[in-house]
Amino acid sequence: TKVLLTGGSGFIAAHCLEQLLAKNHTVVTTVRTDAKRQAILDAYPDAVAASRLDVHIVPDIAQLDAFNQVLQVPGLQAVLHTASPFHFHWSDPQTELIDPAVNGTTGILQAIHAHGKDVRRVVVTSSFAAILDETKFADPTHTFTEASWNPSTVENIHDSKPTAYRVSKTLAERAAWDFVDREKPAFDLVTVCPPLVFGPVVHHLATLENINTSNERIVTLLKGGWKDKIPDTGAVPLWVDVRDVARAHVVAMGKKELGGQRLFTTPGCMSHREIVDIVRRKFPEFKDRLPAESVQGGERPKDSEMFSYDVSKTDKLLGIEWIGLEKSIGDLVESLKGKGI
Ligand code: NDP
């Protein structure tokens, strides 16, 4: 299959790229700068030589016509749209978060509809952020499923930074489903809704300084930042390994019967305390930077004090055997050692 993958420089997208190339697909990916383009080309010389990898520069996905040019590439059959801001280093949530998330999604769908005549399947990386309801976090009688939608709106973007991010993902995913309903394009849609994603960094652009948001806390732990207190796990302890998220995208790209589905991908809950225990057990060399065994904190909410969730539909649709926390954190720490932690 000839696939367009947006945001190829990202944590999740780098694993999508790796898996797509390993399965002999042909990939066109987009990044924002020439340096990122070159780093990806340098990482896959064989795929480049075989004309199975090309990288285009799309500098600003907030522009609705940003993807028009890359959609001129002939023969694209599927699109994985992962690019969207996931960080908290912004000052204006509307222009720096909502616009790239929503216009990026609407813009790519418009471009595919107008120019991508062979595209049959579009997979959009959404998030558990588009499923959750902040008012139900502590309510065990409330069950989140693939059918749940975050009720927050653009009015909430100044409430807090996490809320603004969650709104960006919700509006972007809604825009995607609305587009398909309204325009009845030749392609169908699958969305992937992962909670917090951990796992090894394979992207050649990652450094300890610019580590992706969801792995940031592990870097902090390994640098000694949790020595005196293990931070609260927070109200949303669901997680998933990055390789499984990428696998969900690749499966979603190829399985006809997944058209129209939202995939809520998670093996379950983690806690900061479990993460500390895993690192302590597997990496004695970090002993001096870890909290002593007597240090408190890092528990996750008790089942009786947190929301419920049911992902049985996704589990059945995907048939993925989820990677466990021990392996995910272990492989992440190994990959960070390669970055000089
Ligand atoms: P990264 O920050 O590593 O990747 C984000 C990607 O989007 C990068 O390629 C980045 O480009 C690109 N991007 C961000 N903002 C813009 C912008 N304004 N214009 C153009 N490109 C932009 O994070 P992840 O890999 O974790 O995130 C990928 C997707 O997965 C996102 O849609 C995110 O919302 C979603 N997600 C992530 C979860 C997680 O825990 N990691 C959980 C649930 C969903 P550049 O490299 O140039 O910055």
Side-chain angles (χ1 to χ4, degrees):
T1 305
K2 189 164 180 179
V3 193
L4 172 62
L5 170 70
T6 69
S9 51
F11 167 54
I12 294 174
H15 283 272
C16 293
L17 178 59
E18 183 109 337
Q19 292 184 19
L20 288 167
L21 291 176
K23 286 189 178 300
N24 282 322
H25 297 294
T26 296
V27 185
V28 178
T29 190
T30 66
V31 294
R32 289 199 265 191
T33 65
D34 197 47
K36 293 180 183 190
R37 173 174 185 274
Q38 203 52 51
I40 293 175
L41 292 173
D42 289 348
Y44 296 103
D46 295 347
V48 173
S51 300
R52 288 206 296 114
L53 174 62
D54 198 4
V55 186
H56 285 234
I57 296 180
V58 175
D60 184 7
I61 60 171
Q63 303 303 315
L64 276 168
D65 61 357
F67 292 107
N68 282 358
Q69 203 161 5
V70 70
L71 259 301
Q72 308 289 336
V73 170
L76 292 170
Q77 296 157 299
V79 176
L80 309 187
H81 178 53
T82 79
S84 198
F86 179 29
H87 58 82
F88 302 108
H89 319 296
W90 39 263
S91 39
D92 177 28
Q94 182 65 46
T95 55
E96 295 171 67
L97 191 62
I98 305 293
D99 289 350
V102 177
N103 294 355
T105 304
T106 306
I108 197 161
L109 297 182
Q110 277 171 356
I112 300 164
H113 192 36
H115 308 291
K117 64 177 176 37
D118 299 323
V119 174
R120 292 291 169 272
R121 171 60 50 84
V122 175
V123 182
V124 170
T125 316
S126 184
S127 172
F128 179 59
I131 288 180
L132 56 77
D133 176 341
E134 293 178 353
T135 67
K136 307 287 188 199
F137 282 165
D139 178 357
T141 68
H142 191 84
T143 304
F144 294 118
T145 72
E146 297 82 358
S148 310
W149 276 97
N150 182 341
S152 297
T153 70
V154 77
E155 317 244 292
N156 300 109
I157 61 175
H158 297 285
D159 293 0
S160 78
K161 288 206 159 182
T163 298
Y165 169 70
R166 290 165 181 157
V167 169
S168 79
K169 297 304 289 179
T170 306
L171 297 182
E173 193 191 340
R174 274 210 186 279
W177 291 115
D178 288 348
F179 184 93
V180 169
D181 276 353
R182 191 174 64 240
E183 304 290 336
K184 312 264 181 294
F187 56 84
D188 62 9
L189 179 67
V190 183
T191 60
V192 181
C193 301
L196 195 70
V197 184
F198 291 134
V201 288
V202 298
H203 44 327
H204 322 283
L205 301 146
T207 63
L208 289 180
E209 288 65 45
N210 71 4
I211 198 74
N212 66 286
T213 301
S214 53
N215 279 330
E216 240 166 30
R217 66 188 74 190
I218 312 298
V219 172
T220 304
L221 162 68
L222 296 177
K223 284 182 165 172
W226 292 9
K227 241 178 122 46
D228 300 325
K229 184 176 186 302
I230 308 176
D232 278 350
T233 302
V236 186
L238 296 176
W239 78 285
V240 60
D241 185 272
V242 65
R243 291 157 292 189
D244 287 340
V245 177
R247 206 138 54 102
H249 282 75
V250 177
V251 172
M253 182 185 97
K255 257 192 170 178
K256 195 158 180 13
E257 61 271 28
L258 292 187
Q261 299 291 344
R262 298 174 87 203
L263 303 173
F264 179 3
T265 52
T266 180
C269 293
M270 57 87 201
S271 75
H272 287 172
R273 175 153 290 274
E274 277 176 275
I275 290 173
V276 170
D277 289 344
I278 289 168
V279 176
R280 200 193 319 275
R281 217 165 35 240
K282 291 178 88 96
F283 301 97
E285 65 270 37
F286 286 108
K287 186 166 181 287
D288 292 346
R289 303 193 212 163
L290 301 184
E293 286 190 50
S294 56
V295 170
Q296 300 294 308
E299 307 295 347
R300 72 168 178 85
K302 294 192 192 70
D303 286 346
S304 58
E305 290 168 10
M306 74 171 264
F307 63 84
S308 303
Y309 60 96
D310 179 355
V311 293
S312 51
K313 183 175 174 189
T314 297
D315 283 348
K316 211 160 140 206
L317 288 169
L318 285 178
I320 286 180
E321 183 118 352
W322 302 108
I323 291 170
L325 190 64
E326 172 118 10
K327 177 169 172 53
S328 190
I329 297 298
D331 292 347
L332 166 58
V333 175
E334 285 296 345
S335 74
L336 294 173
K337 281 194 197 170
K339 308 270 174 208
I341 190 95

